[in-house]
Amino acid sequence: MNRTRILFDTDPGIDDAMALAMLALDPRAELVGITTVFGNVPIELTTRNALALRERFGIDHVPVARGAARPLVKPAGDFADFVHGANGLGNVELPEPSGALDPRPAAQFIVEMARRHSGELVLVPVGPLTNLALALQLDPELPRHVREVVLMGGAFGTHGHGGNMSPVAEANIFNDPHAADLVATAPWPVTFVGLDVTHEVVMTTGYLDELGTRGGPHGTFVRDITRFYEAFYEFRTGGGICCHDATAVACALDVSAFTRRPGAVRVVTEGLAAGQTIQSVRGSRFPATDWDGRPEQQVCTGVDVTRVLADFRRLFPG
């Protein structure tokens, strides 16, 4: 089996923990590093959670590097403790991690891992894109060494799915729009796994309960941390959760479960629509030139929900 070599950039976060479980348990994935970023909770907690989850899922050999504590340009905002709990993991406590951090800052770590695995590494960022933007600034040649970026972020308005921070902005992009625009316009292949598809992938209460009772210790843990998340999502799902970050991992491991649309992507960095992701679909022509000459990226517009949910469930055999 050909394994996908992945560096996971994350702000754990309940759905981040679920995505990391996939990367730890799925034989299609070779996880070579974890970098942390501010986002769902402050950087101190996202880093602590990444270290604790590394031990929880038995991947102690995977290095963890601490990353950015704030956005590139905009002031730091509030944290989503009403979504993820005060500790970022639905207020489920994990033992204090004993493993050490990698001494390198996340941006340097990303650059060095990309060069070590040149042409093979897939970056999967599921938080604000600050670390990737800093890595691009550190090494302008970085895109030559990265096979692909598959990110959880954006909202392009398909299927009626707008933003979750504003009518047009998704949280990861909104939290650092300047970084997101740098990543979207860099000369590497980027796939946006945004709310257009992640709001389609709903794990119902029944699905989560079955995972908790029959999915072994890891399944029980996932069910425990998702109870807080499910209470937040009651208004949208009526029972269950939207599985954002795990959907991005699913796309990185098997893009054939997704429909994608090509075209240059820009991010609004200031004003009322800050954080909005806008794609100039292939073949479009406009007098405004801000999309001209930019790399053509991919935006997910459809997903085989049944297949993604089945693939996730299969990782927790009990």
Side-chain angles (χ1 to χ4, degrees):
M1 174 187 295
N2 291 326
R3 303 177 73 196
T4 301
R5 191 165 282 166
I6 288 175
L7 191 152
F8 187 54
D9 186 70
T10 180
D11 60 335
I14 293 165
D15 55 332
D16 305 71
M18 298 168 71
L20 185 55
M22 287 185 70
L23 291 169
L25 301 173
D26 197 314
R28 297 173 297 176
E30 181 186 348
L31 183 62
V32 300
I34 300 167
T35 50
T36 65
V37 67
F38 75 96
N40 292 318
V41 287
I43 188 64
E44 294 79 13
L45 270 178
T46 63
T47 304
R48 190 263 183 201
N49 288 347
L51 290 168
L53 290 166
R54 175 176 69 174
E55 294 182 13
R56 178 68 184 78
F57 296 132
I59 48 172
D60 303 71
H61 63 286
V62 177
V64 175
R66 173 173 163 150
R70 52 153 294 149
L72 289 183
V73 176
K74 69 177 286 187
D78 296 328
F79 298 101
D81 55 358
F82 59 96
V83 180
H84 295 273
N87 72 347
L89 296 174
N91 298 329
V92 173
E93 294 297 335
L94 286 175
E96 193 63 29
S98 59
L101 274 172
D102 189 279
R104 290 166 286 185
Q108 180 186 349
F109 181 82
I110 290 168
V111 166
E112 292 184 12
M113 294 300 284
R115 286 179 174 270
R116 179 184 301 179
H117 304 291
S118 185
E120 300 179 349
L121 190 64
V122 177
L123 302 180
V124 182
V126 295
L129 295 168
T130 317
N131 288 336
L132 271 67
L134 291 170
L136 285 167
Q137 293 175 349
L138 184 63
D139 182 8
E141 295 298 310
L142 176 64
R144 293 180 50 244
H145 299 282
V146 172
R147 177 177 139 194
E148 186 179 9
V149 178
V150 181
L151 66 89
M152 192 280 121
F156 295 85
T158 58
H159 312 294
H161 296 306
N164 58 6
M165 290 296 286
S166 79
V168 294
E170 178 274 331
N172 288 337
I173 306 299
F174 179 85
N175 282 340
D176 196 341
H178 297 84
D181 194 54
L182 287 174
V183 170
T185 56
W188 51 14
V190 179
T191 292
F192 285 79
V193 185
L195 301 183
D196 310 78
V197 290
T198 66
H199 273 162
E200 298 283 305
V201 182
V202 175
M203 294 181 174
T204 65
T205 300
Y207 179 99
L208 293 168
D209 285 346
E210 197 270 343
L211 188 66
T213 56
R214 301 184 184 180
H218 293 320
T220 300
F221 174 71
V222 167
R223 184 59 183 121
D224 288 344
I225 64 174
T226 54
R227 292 188 189 280
F228 191 97
Y229 207 40
E230 186 177 11
F232 168 78
Y233 269 109
E234 175 73 22
F235 80 100
R236 177 178 291 277
T237 64
I241 65 170
C242 299
C243 199
H244 303 292
D245 294 349
T247 302
V249 169
C251 184
L253 294 177
D254 186 1
V255 72
S256 70
F258 294 79
T259 303
R260 299 188 299 171
R261 183 180 70 192
V265 174
R266 298 300 308 271
V267 179
V268 179
T269 56
E270 308 285 347
L272 185 67
Q276 182 177 12
T277 46
I278 306 172
Q279 185 181 40
S280 179
V281 179
R282 179 189 287 175
S284 303
R285 294 290 183 269
F286 302 101
T289 60
D290 289 341
W291 285 262
D292 292 354
R294 303 291 182 171
E296 190 173 75
Q297 311 296 11
Q298 300 286 338
V299 169
C300 289
T301 58
V303 56
D304 185 335
V305 175
T306 301
R307 185 167 150 198
V308 169
L309 291 176
D311 284 349
F312 185 85
R313 177 64 186 88
R314 200 171 294 121
L315 300 177
F316 303 86

Coordinates of all heavy atoms in Angstrom, one line a residue, residues 23-79:
L23 N -5.2 10.1 11.4 CA -3.8 10.0 10.9 C -3.0 9.0 11.7 O -2.0 8.4 11.2 CB -3.2 11.4 11.1 CG -3.7 12.4 10.1 CD1 -3.2 13.8 10.5 CD2 -3.3 12.1 8.7
A24 N -3.3 8.7 13.0 CA -2.6 7.7 13.8 C -3.1 6.3 13.4 O -2.3 5.4 13.5 CB -2.9 8.0 15.3
L25 N -4.3 6.1 13.1 CA -4.9 4.8 12.9 C -5.0 4.3 11.5 O -5.1 3.1 11.3 CB -6.3 4.8 13.6 CG -6.3 5.1 15.1 CD1 -7.8 5.2 15.5 CD2 -5.6 4.1 15.9
D26 N -5.1 5.2 10.5 CA -5.3 4.8 9.1 C -4.0 4.3 8.5 O -3.0 5.1 8.4 CB -5.9 6.0 8.4 CG -6.6 5.6 7.1 OD1 -6.0 4.8 6.3 OD2 -7.7 6.1 6.8
P27 N -4.0 3.1 8.0 CA -2.8 2.6 7.4 C -2.4 3.3 6.1 O -1.2 3.2 5.7 CB -3.1 1.1 7.1 CG -4.6 1.1 7.0 CD -5.1 2.1 8.0
R28 N -3.3 4.1 5.5 CA -2.9 4.9 4.3 C -2.1 6.1 4.7 O -1.5 6.7 3.8 CB -4.2 5.3 3.6 CG -5.1 4.2 3.1 CD -6.4 4.7 2.6 NE -7.2 5.4 3.6 CZ -8.3 6.0 3.4 NH1 -8.8 6.1 2.2 NH2 -9.0 6.6 4.4
A29 N -2.0 6.5 5.9 CA -1.3 7.7 6.3 C 0.1 7.4 7.0 O 0.2 6.5 7.8 CB -2.1 8.5 7.3
E30 N 1.1 8.2 6.6 CA 2.4 8.2 7.3 C 2.6 9.6 7.9 O 2.9 10.5 7.2 CB 3.5 7.8 6.4 CG 4.9 7.8 7.1 CD 6.0 7.6 6.2 OE1 5.8 7.2 5.0 OE2 7.2 7.8 6.6
L31 N 2.3 9.7 9.2 CA 2.4 11.0 9.9 C 3.8 11.3 10.3 O 4.4 10.5 11.1 CB 1.5 11.0 11.1 CG 1.4 12.3 11.9 CD1 0.8 13.4 11.0 CD2 0.5 12.1 13.1
V32 N 4.4 12.3 9.7 CA 5.8 12.6 9.9 C 6.1 13.8 10.9 O 7.2 14.0 11.3 CB 6.6 12.8 8.6 CG1 6.5 11.6 7.7 CG2 6.1 14.1 7.9
G33 N 5.0 14.5 11.2 CA 5.2 15.6 12.1 C 3.9 16.3 12.4 O 2.9 16.2 11.7
I34 N 3.8 17.0 13.6 CA 2.7 17.7 14.0 C 3.2 19.1 14.4 O 4.2 19.3 15.1 CB 2.0 17.1 15.2 CG1 1.5 15.7 14.9 CG2 0.8 18.0 15.7 CD1 1.1 14.9 16.1
T35 N 2.5 20.2 13.9 CA 2.8 21.5 14.3 C 1.6 22.2 14.8 O 0.5 21.9 14.4 CB 3.4 22.4 13.1 OG1 2.5 22.2 12.0 CG2 4.8 21.9 12.7
T36 N 1.8 23.0 15.8 CA 0.6 23.6 16.5 C 0.5 25.1 16.2 O 1.5 25.8 15.9 CB 0.7 23.4 18.0 OG1 1.9 24.1 18.6 CG2 0.9 21.9 18.4
V37 N -0.7 25.6 16.3 CA -1.0 27.0 16.0 C -2.1 27.4 17.0 O -2.9 26.6 17.5 CB -1.4 27.2 14.5 CG1 -2.7 26.5 14.2 CG2 -1.4 28.6 14.1
F38 N -2.2 28.7 17.2 CA -3.3 29.3 18.0 C -4.6 29.0 17.2 O -4.6 28.8 15.9 CB -3.2 30.8 18.2 CG -3.4 31.6 16.9 CD1 -4.7 32.1 16.7 CD2 -2.4 31.7 16.0 CE1 -4.9 32.8 15.5 CE2 -2.7 32.4 14.8 CZ -3.9 33.0 14.6
G39 N -5.7 29.1 17.8 CA -7.0 28.9 17.0 C -8.2 28.6 17.9 O -8.8 29.5 18.5
N40 N -8.5 27.3 18.1 CA -9.6 26.9 18.9 C -9.4 27.4 20.4 O -10.3 27.7 21.1 CB -9.9 25.4 18.8 CG -10.4 25.0 17.5 OD1 -11.2 25.7 16.9 ND2 -9.8 23.9 17.0
V41 N -8.1 27.3 20.8 CA -7.7 27.7 22.2 C -6.3 28.3 22.0 O -5.7 28.2 20.9 CB -7.7 26.5 23.2 CG1 -9.1 26.1 23.6 CG2 -6.9 25.3 22.6
P42 N -5.8 29.0 23.0 CA -4.5 29.6 22.9 C -3.4 28.6 22.6 O -3.5 27.4 22.8 CB -4.3 30.3 24.3 CG -5.6 30.5 24.8 CD -6.4 29.3 24.3
I43 N -2.2 29.1 22.1 CA -1.2 28.2 21.7 C -0.6 27.3 22.8 O -0.3 26.2 22.5 CB 0.0 29.0 21.1 CG1 1.1 28.1 20.4 CG2 0.6 30.0 22.1 CD1 0.6 27.4 19.2
E44 N -0.7 27.8 24.0 CA -0.2 26.9 25.1 C -1.1 25.7 25.2 O -0.5 24.6 25.5 CB -0.2 27.7 26.5 CG 0.7 28.9 26.5 CD 0.3 30.1 25.8 OE1 -0.9 30.2 25.4 OE2 1.1 31.0 25.6
L45 N -2.4 25.8 25.1 CA -3.3 24.7 25.2 C -3.3 23.8 23.9 O -3.3 22.6 24.0 CB -4.7 25.2 25.4 CG -5.1 25.4 26.9 CD1 -6.5 25.9 27.0 CD2 -5.0 24.0 27.6
T46 N -3.2 24.4 22.7 CA -3.2 23.6 21.5 C -1.9 22.7 21.5 O -1.9 21.6 21.1 CB -3.2 24.5 20.2 OG1 -2.1 25.3 20.1 CG2 -4.5 25.3 20.2
T47 N -0.8 23.3 22.0 CA 0.4 22.5 22.1 C 0.4 21.4 23.1 O 0.8 20.3 22.9 CB 1.6 23.5 22.3 OG1 1.7 24.5 21.3 CG2 2.9 22.7 22.3
R48 N -0.2 21.8 24.3 CA -0.3 20.8 25.3 C -1.3 19.7 24.8 O -1.0 18.5 25.1 CB -0.9 21.4 26.6 CG -0.9 20.5 27.8 CD -2.3 19.9 28.0 NE -2.3 19.1 29.2 CZ -3.1 18.1 29.5 NH1 -4.1 17.8 28.6 NH2 -3.1 17.4 30.6
N49 N -2.3 20.0 24.2 CA -3.3 19.0 23.7 C -2.6 18.1 22.6 O -2.9 16.9 22.6 CB -4.5 19.7 23.1 CG -5.4 20.3 24.2 OD1 -5.2 20.0 25.3 ND2 -6.3 21.1 23.8
A50 N -1.8 18.7 21.7 CA -1.2 17.9 20.7 C -0.2 16.9 21.3 O -0.2 15.7 20.9 CB -0.4 18.8 19.7
L51 N 0.5 17.3 22.3 CA 1.4 16.4 23.0 C 0.6 15.3 23.7 O 1.0 14.1 23.7 CB 2.3 17.1 24.0 CG 3.3 18.0 23.5 CD1 3.9 18.9 24.6 CD2 4.4 17.2 22.8
A52 N -0.5 15.7 24.4 CA -1.3 14.7 25.1 C -2.0 13.7 24.1 O -2.1 12.5 24.4 CB -2.3 15.4 26.0
L53 N -2.5 14.2 23.0 CA -3.1 13.4 22.0 C -2.1 12.4 21.4 O -2.4 11.3 21.0 CB -3.8 14.2 21.0 CG -5.1 15.0 21.5 CD1 -5.5 16.0 20.5 CD2 -6.2 14.0 21.7
R54 N -0.9 12.9 21.2 CA 0.2 12.0 20.6 C 0.3 10.8 21.5 O 0.4 9.7 21.0 CB 1.5 12.8 20.5 CG 2.6 12.0 20.1 CD 3.9 12.8 19.9 NE 4.4 13.3 21.2 CZ 5.6 14.0 21.3 NH1 6.3 14.2 20.2 NH2 6.0 14.4 22.5
E55 N 0.3 11.0 22.8 CA 0.4 9.9 23.7 C -0.8 9.0 23.7 O -0.8 7.8 23.8 CB 0.8 10.4 25.1 CG 2.2 11.0 25.2 CD 2.6 11.5 26.6 OE1 1.9 11.1 27.5 OE2 3.6 12.2 26.7
R56 N -2.0 9.7 23.7 CA -3.3 9.0 23.7 C -3.4 8.1 22.6 O -3.9 6.9 22.7 CB -4.4 10.0 23.7 CG -5.8 9.4 23.7 CD -6.1 8.8 25.0 NE -7.4 8.1 25.1 CZ -7.6 6.9 24.6 NH1 -6.7 6.3 23.9 NH2 -8.8 6.3 24.7
F57 N -3.0 8.5 21.4 CA -3.1 7.6 20.2 C -1.9 6.8 19.9 O -1.8 6.1 18.8 CB -3.5 8.5 19.0 CG -4.8 9.2 19.1 CD1 -4.9 10.6 18.9 CD2 -5.9 8.5 19.5 CE1 -6.1 11.2 19.0 CE2 -7.2 9.2 19.6 CZ -7.2 10.5 19.4
G58 N -0.9 6.8 20.8 CA 0.2 5.9 20.6 C 1.2 6.2 19.5 O 1.7 5.3 18.9
I59 N 1.4 7.5 19.2 CA 2.3 7.9 18.2 C 3.4 8.8 18.7 O 3.8 9.8 18.2 CB 1.5 8.6 17.0 CG1 0.6 9.7 17.6 CG2 0.7 7.6 16.2 CD1 0.0 10.6 16.5
D60 N 4.0 8.3 19.8 CA 5.0 9.1 20.5 C 6.2 9.4 19.7 O 7.0 10.3 20.0 CB 5.5 8.3 21.8 CG 4.3 8.0 22.7 OD1 3.5 7.1 22.3 OD2 4.2 8.6 23.8
H61 N 6.5 8.6 18.6 CA 7.6 8.8 17.8 C 7.5 10.1 16.9 O 8.5 10.5 16.3 CB 7.8 7.6 16.9 CG 6.7 7.3 16.0 ND1 5.5 6.8 16.4 CD2 6.6 7.5 14.6 CE1 4.7 6.7 15.4 NE2 5.3 7.1 14.3
V62 N 6.3 10.6 16.7 CA 6.0 11.7 15.8 C 6.4 13.0 16.5 O 5.9 13.3 17.6 CB 4.5 11.7 15.4 CG1 4.3 12.9 14.5 CG2 4.2 10.4 14.7
P63 N 7.3 13.8 15.9 CA 7.7 15.1 16.6 C 6.6 16.1 16.6 O 5.8 16.2 15.6 CB 8.9 15.5 15.8 CG 8.8 14.8 14.5 CD 8.1 13.5 14.7
V64 N 6.5 16.9 17.6 CA 5.5 18.0 17.7 C 6.3 19.3 17.9 O 7.2 19.4 18.8 CB 4.6 17.8 18.9 CG1 3.7 19.0 19.1 CG2 3.8 16.5 18.8
A65 N 6.0 20.3 17.0 CA 6.7 21.6 17.1 C 5.7 22.7 17.3 O 4.6 22.7 16.7 CB 7.5 21.9 15.8
R66 N 6.0 23.6 18.3 CA 5.1 24.7 18.6 C 5.2 25.8 17.6 O 6.3 26.2 17.1 CB 5.4 25.2 20.0 CG 4.7 26.4 20.4 CD 4.9 26.8 21.8 NE 4.5 28.2 22.1 CZ 4.1 28.6 23.3 NH1 4.0 27.8 24.3 NH2 3.7 29.9 23.5
G67 N 4.0 26.3 17.2 CA 4.0 27.4 16.2 C 3.4 28.7 16.7 O 3.6 29.1 17.9
A68 N 2.8 29.4 15.8 CA 2.4 30.8 16.0 C 1.4 31.0 17.1 O 0.4 30.2 17.2 CB 1.9 31.4 14.7
A69 N 1.5 32.0 17.9 CA 0.6 32.3 18.9 C -0.4 33.4 18.5 O -1.4 33.6 19.3 CB 1.3 32.8 20.2
R70 N -0.2 34.0 17.4 CA -1.1 35.1 17.0 C -1.1 35.3 15.4 O -0.2 34.7 14.8 CB -0.7 36.4 17.6 CG 0.7 36.8 17.4 CD 0.9 38.3 17.5 NE 0.3 39.0 16.3 CZ -0.3 40.2 16.4 NH1 -0.3 40.9 17.5 NH2 -0.8 40.7 15.3
P71 N -2.0 36.0 14.9 CA -2.0 36.1 13.4 C -0.9 37.0 12.9 O -0.2 37.7 13.7 CB -3.4 36.9 13.1 CG -4.2 36.7 14.4 CD -3.2 36.5 15.5
L72 N -0.7 37.0 11.6 CA 0.4 37.7 11.0 C 0.2 39.2 11.2 O 1.2 40.0 11.6 CB 0.5 37.5 9.5 CG 1.0 36.1 9.0 CD1 1.0 36.1 7.5 CD2 2.4 35.8 9.6
V73 N -1.0 39.7 11.0 CA -1.2 41.2 10.9 C -2.3 41.6 11.8 O -2.2 42.5 12.6 CB -1.6 41.6 9.5 CG1 -1.9 43.1 9.4 CG2 -0.4 41.3 8.5
K74 N -3.5 41.0 11.8 CA -4.7 41.4 12.5 C -4.5 41.1 14.0 O -3.7 40.3 14.4 CB -5.9 40.7 12.0 CG -6.0 39.2 12.3 CD -7.3 38.6 11.8 CE -8.5 39.0 12.7 NZ -9.7 38.3 12.4
P75 N -5.1 41.9 14.9 CA -5.0 41.6 16.3 C -5.6 40.2 16.6 O -6.5 39.7 16.0 CB -5.9 42.7 16.9 CG -6.0 43.8 15.9 CD -6.0 43.1 14.6
A76 N -5.0 39.6 17.7 CA -5.5 38.3 18.1 C -7.0 38.5 18.6 O -7.4 39.5 19.2 CB -4.7 37.8 19.2
G77 N -7.8 37.5 18.3 CA -9.2 37.5 18.7 C -9.5 36.6 19.9 O -8.6 36.2 20.5
D78 N -10.8 36.4 20.1 CA -11.2 35.5 21.2 C -11.1 34.1 20.8 O -10.9 33.8 19.6 CB -12.6 35.8 21.6 CG -12.8 37.3 22.1 OD1 -11.8 37.7 22.8 OD2 -13.8 37.9 21.9
F79 N -11.2 33.2 21.7 CA -11.1 31.8 21.4 C -12.4 31.1 21.6 O -13.3 31.6 22.4 CB -10.0 31.1 22.4 CG -8.7 31.7 22.1 CD1 -8.1 32.6 23.0 CD2 -7.9 31.3 21.0 CE1 -6.9 33.1 22.8 CE2 -6.6 31.8 20.8 CZ -6.1 32.7 21.7

